Amino acid sequence: MVRRSGEMAFSRTAYLLAYNVGMAAGWSYALYLGVKGALDSEFPSSLAGCMPSGGSIVGLFQMISLLEVFHALFGLVRGSPLAALLQWTGRSNVLFNVILPIPTIYAAAPAGAMMLAWCLSEIIRYPWYAAQIKGTCPFWLTWLRYSAFIPLYPVGVVGEMLSIYNALPTIQANLMHSVQLPNSWNFGFDYATFMKIVLVLYPGLWWMLYSGLLKTRAKKLPKL
């Protein structure tokens, strides 16, 4: 029984280590493509080339990150499955429903800035998780884990909000992701209106999460 428990613990550790290393590699590749796309574009400082170059990889690894909901659900990691699902849904909604379907949005500066902020955040977060699993996490990585979000989170959120705002006319004109009445279900849904509500709520929700991260940072890095 003890041997079996030990084997299960080893399998869990090996899987989580492989997952986090793989995710770090994937997001690093997305960052490389994004930077290369920006530099290869006519106006590199506009960041317009980031998402067209690396957006498909960002989408792939964002989809894979849905596994983190199940990691929490099945007790592989500590954390709330609901919180993980809400975070994944929020980011995926912006990426898959707003940015990627509209060429003028994913080839624009806000989407590029958002992509770079996401990539930089993830290539810190996943190595930190991997190092925690190994029990050999250096202080500098912990410092980055609880400090890099200070500039990166606002950049990412502003990129998301501007992308949503700029996409609203296209979403509304084409009735994207909407359900029109009449239909057999007698149910209607206007995605443009939904995203307007989301846009209004964004600053408050962002501050709740951001202030929570600042409090966590104060606990993890008490000397700073």
Short mmCIF file of all heavy atoms in Angstrom, two decimals, residues 60-123:
data_model
loop_
_atom_site.label_atom_id
_atom_site.label_comp_id
_atom_site.label_asym_id
_atom_site.label_seq_id
_atom_site.Cartn_x
_atom_site.Cartn_y
_atom_site.Cartn_z
N LEU A 60 -3.29 27.86 -28.87
CA LEU A 60 -3.07 26.45 -28.55
C LEU A 60 -2.78 26.26 -27.06
O LEU A 60 -3.40 25.42 -26.39
CB LEU A 60 -1.91 25.90 -29.37
CG LEU A 60 -1.44 24.49 -29.02
CD1 LEU A 60 -2.53 23.46 -29.25
CD2 LEU A 60 -0.18 24.13 -29.81
N PHE A 61 -1.86 27.05 -26.53
CA PHE A 61 -1.48 26.86 -25.13
C PHE A 61 -2.50 27.44 -24.16
O PHE A 61 -2.59 26.98 -23.02
CB PHE A 61 -0.07 27.41 -24.89
CG PHE A 61 0.99 26.47 -25.38
CD1 PHE A 61 1.45 26.55 -26.69
CD2 PHE A 61 1.46 25.46 -24.57
CE1 PHE A 61 2.39 25.64 -27.16
CE2 PHE A 61 2.39 24.55 -25.03
CZ PHE A 61 2.86 24.64 -26.33
N GLN A 62 -3.30 28.38 -24.63
CA GLN A 62 -4.43 28.82 -23.81
C GLN A 62 -5.45 27.70 -23.69
O GLN A 62 -6.02 27.47 -22.61
CB GLN A 62 -5.07 30.07 -24.41
CG GLN A 62 -6.32 30.54 -23.70
CD GLN A 62 -6.12 30.89 -22.23
OE1 GLN A 62 -5.00 31.19 -21.81
NE2 GLN A 62 -7.18 30.86 -21.46
N MET A 63 -5.70 26.97 -24.77
CA MET A 63 -6.61 25.82 -24.71
C MET A 63 -6.06 24.73 -23.79
O MET A 63 -6.80 24.16 -22.98
CB MET A 63 -6.84 25.26 -26.11
CG MET A 63 -7.74 26.11 -26.99
SD MET A 63 -9.42 26.28 -26.29
CE MET A 63 -9.96 24.58 -26.30
N ILE A 64 -4.77 24.44 -23.91
CA ILE A 64 -4.16 23.41 -23.07
C ILE A 64 -4.28 23.78 -21.59
O ILE A 64 -4.45 22.90 -20.72
CB ILE A 64 -2.68 23.20 -23.45
CG1 ILE A 64 -2.58 22.60 -24.86
CG2 ILE A 64 -1.98 22.28 -22.45
CD1 ILE A 64 -1.17 22.51 -25.40
N SER A 65 -4.21 25.07 -21.28
CA SER A 65 -4.27 25.50 -19.88
C SER A 65 -5.60 25.19 -19.21
O SER A 65 -5.72 25.30 -17.98
CB SER A 65 -3.96 27.00 -19.76
OG SER A 65 -4.99 27.78 -20.32
N LEU A 66 -6.60 24.78 -19.99
CA LEU A 66 -7.86 24.33 -19.39
C LEU A 66 -7.62 23.14 -18.46
O LEU A 66 -8.39 22.91 -17.51
CB LEU A 66 -8.85 23.94 -20.49
CG LEU A 66 -10.23 23.43 -20.04
CD1 LEU A 66 -10.97 24.48 -19.23
CD2 LEU A 66 -11.07 23.01 -21.24
N LEU A 67 -6.55 22.39 -18.69
CA LEU A 67 -6.21 21.27 -17.81
C LEU A 67 -6.03 21.72 -16.37
O LEU A 67 -6.22 20.92 -15.44
CB LEU A 67 -4.92 20.60 -18.31
CG LEU A 67 -5.02 19.79 -19.60
CD1 LEU A 67 -3.63 19.36 -20.07
CD2 LEU A 67 -5.90 18.56 -19.39
N GLU A 68 -5.68 22.98 -16.17
CA GLU A 68 -5.43 23.46 -14.81
C GLU A 68 -6.71 23.48 -13.97
O GLU A 68 -6.65 23.39 -12.74
CB GLU A 68 -4.78 24.84 -14.86
CG GLU A 68 -3.37 24.76 -15.43
CD GLU A 68 -2.79 26.11 -15.82
OE1 GLU A 68 -3.15 27.13 -15.19
OE2 GLU A 68 -1.97 26.15 -16.76
N VAL A 69 -7.85 23.58 -14.64
CA VAL A 69 -9.12 23.47 -13.93
C VAL A 69 -9.25 22.05 -13.35
O VAL A 69 -9.66 21.87 -12.20
CB VAL A 69 -10.30 23.77 -14.87
CG1 VAL A 69 -11.63 23.56 -14.15
CG2 VAL A 69 -10.21 25.18 -15.43
N PHE A 70 -8.88 21.06 -14.15
CA PHE A 70 -8.98 19.66 -13.71
C PHE A 70 -7.89 19.32 -12.70
O PHE A 70 -8.10 18.46 -11.83
CB PHE A 70 -8.92 18.74 -14.93
CG PHE A 70 -10.07 18.93 -15.87
CD1 PHE A 70 -9.95 19.73 -16.99
CD2 PHE A 70 -11.31 18.34 -15.61
CE1 PHE A 70 -11.02 19.93 -17.85
CE2 PHE A 70 -12.38 18.54 -16.45
CZ PHE A 70 -12.25 19.34 -17.58
N HIS A 71 -6.74 19.97 -12.81
CA HIS A 71 -5.70 19.78 -11.79
C HIS A 71 -6.24 20.14 -10.42
O HIS A 71 -6.03 19.41 -9.44
CB HIS A 71 -4.48 20.65 -12.11
CG HIS A 71 -3.76 20.26 -13.35
ND1 HIS A 71 -2.77 21.04 -13.92
CD2 HIS A 71 -3.88 19.16 -14.16
CE1 HIS A 71 -2.31 20.45 -15.01
NE2 HIS A 71 -2.96 19.31 -15.17
N ALA A 72 -6.94 21.28 -10.35
CA ALA A 72 -7.52 21.70 -9.07
C ALA A 72 -8.70 20.81 -8.68
O ALA A 72 -8.87 20.46 -7.50
CB ALA A 72 -7.96 23.17 -9.15
N LEU A 73 -9.51 20.43 -9.68
CA LEU A 73 -10.70 19.63 -9.40
C LEU A 73 -10.33 18.27 -8.80
O LEU A 73 -11.00 17.78 -7.88
CB LEU A 73 -11.49 19.42 -10.70
CG LEU A 73 -12.81 18.65 -10.60
CD1 LEU A 73 -13.80 19.41 -9.72
CD2 LEU A 73 -13.39 18.43 -11.99
N PHE A 74 -9.27 17.65 -9.32
CA PHE A 74 -8.88 16.32 -8.86
C PHE A 74 -7.80 16.34 -7.78
O PHE A 74 -7.26 15.30 -7.42
CB PHE A 74 -8.41 15.47 -10.05
CG PHE A 74 -9.50 15.19 -11.05
CD1 PHE A 74 -9.37 15.60 -12.36
CD2 PHE A 74 -10.65 14.53 -10.67
CE1 PHE A 74 -10.37 15.35 -13.29
CE2 PHE A 74 -11.66 14.28 -11.58
CZ PHE A 74 -11.52 14.69 -12.89
N GLY A 75 -7.51 17.53 -7.25
CA GLY A 75 -6.59 17.63 -6.13
C GLY A 75 -5.13 17.48 -6.47
O GLY A 75 -4.31 17.28 -5.56
N LEU A 76 -4.78 17.61 -7.74
CA LEU A 76 -3.36 17.54 -8.11
C LEU A 76 -2.61 18.77 -7.61
O LEU A 76 -1.40 18.71 -7.34
CB LEU A 76 -3.20 17.41 -9.62
CG LEU A 76 -3.72 16.13 -10.26
CD1 LEU A 76 -3.51 16.16 -11.77
CD2 LEU A 76 -3.04 14.91 -9.66
N VAL A 77 -3.32 19.90 -7.55
CA VAL A 77 -2.75 21.14 -7.01
C VAL A 77 -3.75 21.75 -6.05
O VAL A 77 -4.95 21.46 -6.11
CB VAL A 77 -2.41 22.14 -8.13
CG1 VAL A 77 -1.37 21.58 -9.09
CG2 VAL A 77 -3.67 22.55 -8.89
N ARG A 78 -3.26 22.61 -5.18
CA ARG A 78 -4.15 23.34 -4.29
C ARG A 78 -4.76 24.51 -5.05
O ARG A 78 -4.11 25.13 -5.88
CB ARG A 78 -3.38 23.84 -3.07
CG ARG A 78 -3.04 22.75 -2.07
CD ARG A 78 -2.27 23.30 -0.90
NE ARG A 78 -0.94 23.76 -1.29
CZ ARG A 78 -0.06 24.31 -0.45
NH1 ARG A 78 -0.38 24.47 0.82
NH2 ARG A 78 1.11 24.70 -0.89
N GLY A 79 -6.01 24.81 -4.78
CA GLY A 79 -6.66 25.91 -5.45
C GLY A 79 -8.10 25.58 -5.77
O GLY A 79 -8.52 24.41 -5.69
N SER A 80 -8.85 26.59 -6.13
CA SER A 80 -10.26 26.43 -6.43
C SER A 80 -10.49 26.12 -7.90
O SER A 80 -10.05 26.89 -8.77
CB SER A 80 -11.01 27.71 -6.06
OG SER A 80 -12.31 27.73 -6.62
N PRO A 81 -11.17 25.02 -8.22
CA PRO A 81 -11.50 24.74 -9.61
C PRO A 81 -12.35 25.84 -10.24
O PRO A 81 -12.18 26.17 -11.41
CB PRO A 81 -12.27 23.41 -9.55
CG PRO A 81 -11.91 22.81 -8.24
CD PRO A 81 -11.63 23.96 -7.33
N LEU A 82 -13.27 26.41 -9.45
CA LEU A 82 -14.13 27.47 -9.95
C LEU A 82 -13.32 28.71 -10.31
O LEU A 82 -13.53 29.32 -11.36
CB LEU A 82 -15.21 27.81 -8.92
CG LEU A 82 -16.18 28.93 -9.33
CD1 LEU A 82 -16.92 28.56 -10.62
CD2 LEU A 82 -17.16 29.21 -8.20
N ALA A 83 -12.39 29.08 -9.44
CA ALA A 83 -11.55 30.24 -9.72
C ALA A 83 -10.71 30.02 -10.96
O ALA A 83 -10.58 30.91 -11.81
CB ALA A 83 -10.66 30.54 -8.52
N ALA A 84 -10.17 28.80 -11.09
CA ALA A 84 -9.37 28.48 -12.28
C ALA A 84 -10.21 28.53 -13.54
O ALA A 84 -9.77 29.02 -14.59
CB ALA A 84 -8.75 27.09 -12.11
N LEU A 85 -11.45 28.04 -13.45
CA LEU A 85 -12.35 28.06 -14.61
C LEU A 85 -12.72 29.48 -15.01
O LEU A 85 -12.74 29.82 -16.20
CB LEU A 85 -13.61 27.25 -14.31
CG LEU A 85 -14.66 27.19 -15.43
CD1 LEU A 85 -14.09 26.54 -16.68
CD2 LEU A 85 -15.90 26.44 -14.95
N LEU A 86 -13.02 30.32 -14.03
CA LEU A 86 -13.39 31.70 -14.31
C LEU A 86 -12.24 32.46 -14.96
O LEU A 86 -12.44 33.23 -15.91
CB LEU A 86 -13.84 32.41 -13.03
CG LEU A 86 -15.17 31.94 -12.44
CD1 LEU A 86 -15.43 32.62 -11.10
CD2 LEU A 86 -16.32 32.23 -13.40
N GLN A 87 -11.02 32.25 -14.47
CA GLN A 87 -9.86 32.90 -15.05
C GLN A 87 -9.63 32.43 -16.48
O GLN A 87 -9.37 33.24 -17.38
CB GLN A 87 -8.62 32.63 -14.19
CG GLN A 87 -8.66 33.32 -12.84
CD GLN A 87 -7.52 32.92 -11.94
OE1 GLN A 87 -6.64 32.14 -12.32
NE2 GLN A 87 -7.51 33.43 -10.72
N TRP A 88 -9.76 31.12 -16.69
CA TRP A 88 -9.56 30.58 -18.04
C TRP A 88 -10.65 31.08 -18.98
O TRP A 88 -10.35 31.46 -20.13
CB TRP A 88 -9.59 29.05 -17.99
CG TRP A 88 -9.34 28.43 -19.32
CD1 TRP A 88 -8.12 28.10 -19.86
CD2 TRP A 88 -10.31 28.05 -20.30
NE1 TRP A 88 -8.28 27.56 -21.12
CE2 TRP A 88 -9.61 27.52 -21.41
CE3 TRP A 88 -11.70 28.12 -20.34
CZ2 TRP A 88 -10.27 27.06 -22.55
CZ3 TRP A 88 -12.35 27.66 -21.49
CH2 TRP A 88 -11.64 27.14 -22.57
N THR A 89 -11.88 31.12 -18.52
CA THR A 89 -12.99 31.56 -19.36
C THR A 89 -12.85 33.03 -19.75
O THR A 89 -13.09 33.41 -20.90
CB THR A 89 -14.33 31.34 -18.64
OG1 THR A 89 -14.48 29.95 -18.33
CG2 THR A 89 -15.51 31.77 -19.51
N GLY A 90 -12.46 33.87 -18.78
CA GLY A 90 -12.31 35.29 -19.06
C GLY A 90 -11.27 35.56 -20.13
O GLY A 90 -11.51 36.30 -21.09
N ARG A 91 -10.12 34.94 -19.98
CA ARG A 91 -9.05 35.14 -20.96
C ARG A 91 -9.42 34.53 -22.31
O ARG A 91 -9.19 35.14 -23.35
CB ARG A 91 -7.74 34.53 -20.43
CG ARG A 91 -6.58 34.69 -21.39
CD ARG A 91 -5.33 34.00 -20.90
NE ARG A 91 -4.57 34.83 -19.98
CZ ARG A 91 -3.31 34.57 -19.63
NH1 ARG A 91 -2.69 33.51 -20.12
NH2 ARG A 91 -2.66 35.37 -18.79
N SER A 92 -10.01 33.35 -22.29
CA SER A 92 -10.37 32.66 -23.54
C SER A 92 -11.44 33.42 -24.30
O SER A 92 -11.44 33.45 -25.54
CB SER A 92 -10.84 31.23 -23.25
OG SER A 92 -9.79 30.46 -22.71
N ASN A 93 -12.37 34.02 -23.58
CA ASN A 93 -13.43 34.79 -24.24
C ASN A 93 -12.84 35.92 -25.07
O ASN A 93 -13.20 36.13 -26.24
CB ASN A 93 -14.39 35.35 -23.20
CG ASN A 93 -15.46 36.24 -23.81
OD1 ASN A 93 -16.08 35.89 -24.82
ND2 ASN A 93 -15.68 37.39 -23.22
N VAL A 94 -11.91 36.66 -24.48
CA VAL A 94 -11.28 37.77 -25.19
C VAL A 94 -10.47 37.27 -26.37
O VAL A 94 -10.54 37.82 -27.49
CB VAL A 94 -10.38 38.58 -24.24
CG1 VAL A 94 -9.62 39.66 -25.01
CG2 VAL A 94 -11.20 39.21 -23.13
N LEU A 95 -9.73 36.20 -26.16
CA LEU A 95 -8.84 35.69 -27.22
C LEU A 95 -9.61 35.06 -28.37
O LEU A 95 -9.41 35.43 -29.54
CB LEU A 95 -7.87 34.67 -26.62
CG LEU A 95 -6.86 34.06 -27.61
CD1 LEU A 95 -5.94 35.13 -28.18
CD2 LEU A 95 -6.05 32.96 -26.93
N PHE A 96 -10.50 34.11 -28.06
CA PHE A 96 -11.14 33.32 -29.10
C PHE A 96 -12.39 33.97 -29.69
O PHE A 96 -12.74 33.70 -30.84
CB PHE A 96 -11.50 31.93 -28.56
CG PHE A 96 -10.30 31.11 -28.17
CD1 PHE A 96 -10.15 30.67 -26.87
CD2 PHE A 96 -9.32 30.79 -29.10
CE1 PHE A 96 -9.04 29.92 -26.49
CE2 PHE A 96 -8.21 30.05 -28.74
CZ PHE A 96 -8.07 29.61 -27.43
N ASN A 97 -13.09 34.79 -28.91
CA ASN A 97 -14.33 35.38 -29.40
C ASN A 97 -14.18 36.81 -29.90
O ASN A 97 -15.04 37.29 -30.65
CB ASN A 97 -15.40 35.36 -28.30
CG ASN A 97 -15.85 33.95 -27.97
OD1 ASN A 97 -15.76 33.06 -28.80
ND2 ASN A 97 -16.31 33.76 -26.75
N VAL A 98 -13.13 37.49 -29.47
CA VAL A 98 -12.97 38.90 -29.84
C VAL A 98 -11.76 39.13 -30.74
O VAL A 98 -11.89 39.71 -31.82
CB VAL A 98 -12.86 39.79 -28.57
CG1 VAL A 98 -12.60 41.24 -28.96
CG2 VAL A 98 -14.11 39.67 -27.72
N ILE A 99 -10.60 38.69 -30.31
CA ILE A 99 -9.36 39.05 -31.02
C ILE A 99 -9.11 38.20 -32.26
O ILE A 99 -8.95 38.73 -33.37
CB ILE A 99 -8.16 38.99 -30.06
CG1 ILE A 99 -8.31 40.08 -28.98
CG2 ILE A 99 -6.85 39.16 -30.81
CD1 ILE A 99 -7.25 40.05 -27.91
N LEU A 100 -9.04 36.90 -32.09
CA LEU A 100 -8.65 36.04 -33.21
C LEU A 100 -9.63 36.06 -34.39
O LEU A 100 -9.20 35.95 -35.54
CB LEU A 100 -8.43 34.61 -32.72
CG LEU A 100 -7.22 34.40 -31.81
CD1 LEU A 100 -7.09 32.94 -31.41
CD2 LEU A 100 -5.93 34.89 -32.46
N PRO A 101 -10.95 36.19 -34.18
CA PRO A 101 -11.87 36.17 -35.33
C PRO A 101 -11.85 37.45 -36.18
O PRO A 101 -12.40 37.46 -37.28
CB PRO A 101 -13.25 35.98 -34.70
CG PRO A 101 -13.01 35.53 -33.30
CD PRO A 101 -11.71 36.16 -32.91
N ILE A 102 -11.25 38.53 -35.67
CA ILE A 102 -11.33 39.82 -36.38
C ILE A 102 -9.91 40.26 -36.76
O ILE A 102 -9.14 40.71 -35.90
CB ILE A 102 -12.00 40.90 -35.51
CG1 ILE A 102 -13.36 40.40 -35.01
CG2 ILE A 102 -12.16 42.20 -36.29
CD1 ILE A 102 -14.05 41.35 -34.05
N PRO A 103 -9.54 40.16 -38.03
CA PRO A 103 -8.17 40.48 -38.46
C PRO A 103 -7.69 41.87 -38.06
O PRO A 103 -6.53 42.03 -37.68
CB PRO A 103 -8.24 40.33 -39.99
CG PRO A 103 -9.34 39.36 -40.21
CD PRO A 103 -10.35 39.64 -39.13
N THR A 104 -8.56 42.86 -38.14
CA THR A 104 -8.13 44.21 -37.80
C THR A 104 -7.85 44.37 -36.31
O THR A 104 -7.15 45.31 -35.90
CB THR A 104 -9.22 45.24 -38.20
OG1 THR A 104 -10.46 44.88 -37.59
CG2 THR A 104 -9.37 45.30 -39.71
N ILE A 105 -8.37 43.46 -35.50
CA ILE A 105 -8.14 43.53 -34.05
C ILE A 105 -6.87 42.77 -33.68
O ILE A 105 -6.05 43.27 -32.90
CB ILE A 105 -9.35 42.97 -33.27
CG1 ILE A 105 -10.60 43.79 -33.60
CG2 ILE A 105 -9.08 42.99 -31.77
CD1 ILE A 105 -10.50 45.27 -33.30
N TYR A 106 -6.69 41.56 -34.24
CA TYR A 106 -5.49 40.82 -33.82
C TYR A 106 -4.23 41.36 -34.47
O TYR A 106 -3.12 41.07 -34.01
CB TYR A 106 -5.65 39.31 -34.03
CG TYR A 106 -5.54 38.76 -35.42
CD1 TYR A 106 -4.32 38.73 -36.09
CD2 TYR A 106 -6.63 38.20 -36.07
CE1 TYR A 106 -4.20 38.20 -37.37
CE2 TYR A 106 -6.54 37.66 -37.33
CZ TYR A 106 -5.31 37.66 -37.98
OH TYR A 106 -5.21 37.13 -39.23
N ALA A 107 -4.36 42.17 -35.51
CA ALA A 107 -3.19 42.80 -36.14
C ALA A 107 -3.05 44.24 -35.68
O ALA A 107 -2.62 45.10 -36.44
CB ALA A 107 -3.30 42.73 -37.65
N ALA A 108 -3.41 44.53 -34.44
CA ALA A 108 -3.34 45.89 -33.90
C ALA A 108 -2.48 45.90 -32.63
O ALA A 108 -2.23 44.87 -32.01
CB ALA A 108 -4.75 46.40 -33.60
N ALA A 109 -2.07 47.10 -32.25
CA ALA A 109 -1.17 47.26 -31.11
C ALA A 109 -1.72 46.73 -29.79
O ALA A 109 -0.99 46.08 -29.03
CB ALA A 109 -0.78 48.73 -30.97
N PRO A 110 -3.01 46.98 -29.45
CA PRO A 110 -3.50 46.46 -28.16
C PRO A 110 -3.38 44.94 -28.03
O PRO A 110 -3.00 44.44 -26.99
CB PRO A 110 -4.97 46.91 -28.16
CG PRO A 110 -4.98 48.14 -29.00
CD PRO A 110 -4.01 47.85 -30.11
N ALA A 111 -3.73 44.22 -29.10
CA ALA A 111 -3.62 42.76 -29.06
C ALA A 111 -2.17 42.33 -28.94
O ALA A 111 -1.84 41.36 -28.24
CB ALA A 111 -4.26 42.14 -30.30
N GLY A 112 -1.27 43.05 -29.63
CA GLY A 112 0.15 42.73 -29.54
C GLY A 112 0.69 42.95 -28.14
O GLY A 112 1.44 42.12 -27.61
N ALA A 113 0.32 44.07 -27.53
CA ALA A 113 0.76 44.36 -26.16
C ALA A 113 0.22 43.32 -25.19
O ALA A 113 0.92 42.86 -24.28
CB ALA A 113 0.32 45.76 -25.75
N MET A 114 -1.05 42.96 -25.37
CA MET A 114 -1.67 41.94 -24.52
C MET A 114 -0.93 40.61 -24.64
O MET A 114 -0.63 39.95 -23.64
CB MET A 114 -3.13 41.75 -24.93
CG MET A 114 -3.90 40.73 -24.10
SD MET A 114 -5.33 40.06 -24.98
CE MET A 114 -4.53 38.93 -26.15
N MET A 115 -0.62 40.22 -25.88
CA MET A 115 0.06 38.95 -26.11
C MET A 115 1.43 38.93 -25.43
O MET A 115 1.78 37.94 -24.76
CB MET A 115 0.23 38.72 -27.61
CG MET A 115 1.06 37.48 -27.94
SD MET A 115 1.33 37.29 -29.71
CE MET A 115 2.65 36.06 -29.68
N LEU A 116 2.20 39.99 -25.58
CA LEU A 116 3.53 40.04 -24.96
C LEU A 116 3.42 39.99 -23.44
O LEU A 116 4.21 39.31 -22.78
CB LEU A 116 4.28 41.29 -25.41
CG LEU A 116 4.63 41.38 -26.89
CD1 LEU A 116 5.41 42.65 -27.17
CD2 LEU A 116 5.45 40.16 -27.34
N ALA A 117 2.44 40.70 -22.87
CA ALA A 117 2.24 40.68 -21.42
C ALA A 117 1.87 39.28 -20.94
O ALA A 117 2.39 38.80 -19.92
CB ALA A 117 1.17 41.69 -21.02
N TRP A 118 0.97 38.61 -21.68
CA TRP A 118 0.60 37.24 -21.31
C TRP A 118 1.81 36.32 -21.36
O TRP A 118 2.05 35.54 -20.43
CB TRP A 118 -0.46 36.72 -22.29
CG TRP A 118 -1.84 37.24 -22.08
CD1 TRP A 118 -2.23 38.29 -21.30
CD2 TRP A 118 -3.04 36.73 -22.69
NE1 TRP A 118 -3.58 38.47 -21.38
CE2 TRP A 118 -4.11 37.54 -22.22
CE3 TRP A 118 -3.30 35.70 -23.58
CZ2 TRP A 118 -5.43 37.31 -22.62
CZ3 TRP A 118 -4.61 35.48 -23.98
CH2 TRP A 118 -5.67 36.27 -23.50
N CYS A 119 2.56 36.39 -22.45
CA CYS A 119 3.71 35.49 -22.63
C CYS A 119 4.75 35.69 -21.54
O CYS A 119 5.25 34.72 -20.95
CB CYS A 119 4.35 35.71 -24.00
SG CYS A 119 3.38 35.14 -25.40
N LEU A 120 5.09 36.94 -21.26
CA LEU A 120 6.08 37.22 -20.23
C LEU A 120 5.61 36.73 -18.86
O LEU A 120 6.40 36.21 -18.07
CB LEU A 120 6.38 38.72 -20.19
CG LEU A 120 7.19 39.26 -21.39
CD1 LEU A 120 7.19 40.78 -21.38
CD2 LEU A 120 8.62 38.71 -21.37
N SER A 121 4.33 36.90 -18.58
CA SER A 121 3.78 36.42 -17.31
C SER A 121 3.90 34.91 -17.20
O SER A 121 4.29 34.38 -16.15
CB SER A 121 2.31 36.83 -17.17
OG SER A 121 2.17 38.23 -17.13
N GLU A 122 3.58 34.21 -18.28
CA GLU A 122 3.55 32.75 -18.24
C GLU A 122 4.94 32.12 -18.22
O GLU A 122 5.13 31.06 -17.63
CB GLU A 122 2.74 32.21 -19.42
CG GLU A 122 1.30 32.69 -19.51
CD GLU A 122 0.44 32.33 -18.31
OE1 GLU A 122 0.91 32.42 -17.16
OE2 GLU A 122 -0.71 31.93 -18.53
N ILE A 123 5.92 32.77 -18.86
CA ILE A 123 7.27 32.19 -18.84
C ILE A 123 7.97 32.46 -17.51
O ILE A 123 9.09 31.99 -17.29
CB ILE A 123 8.13 32.69 -20.02
CG1 ILE A 123 8.38 34.20 -19.94
CG2 ILE A 123 7.50 32.32 -21.34
CD1 ILE A 123 9.33 34.70 -21.01
#
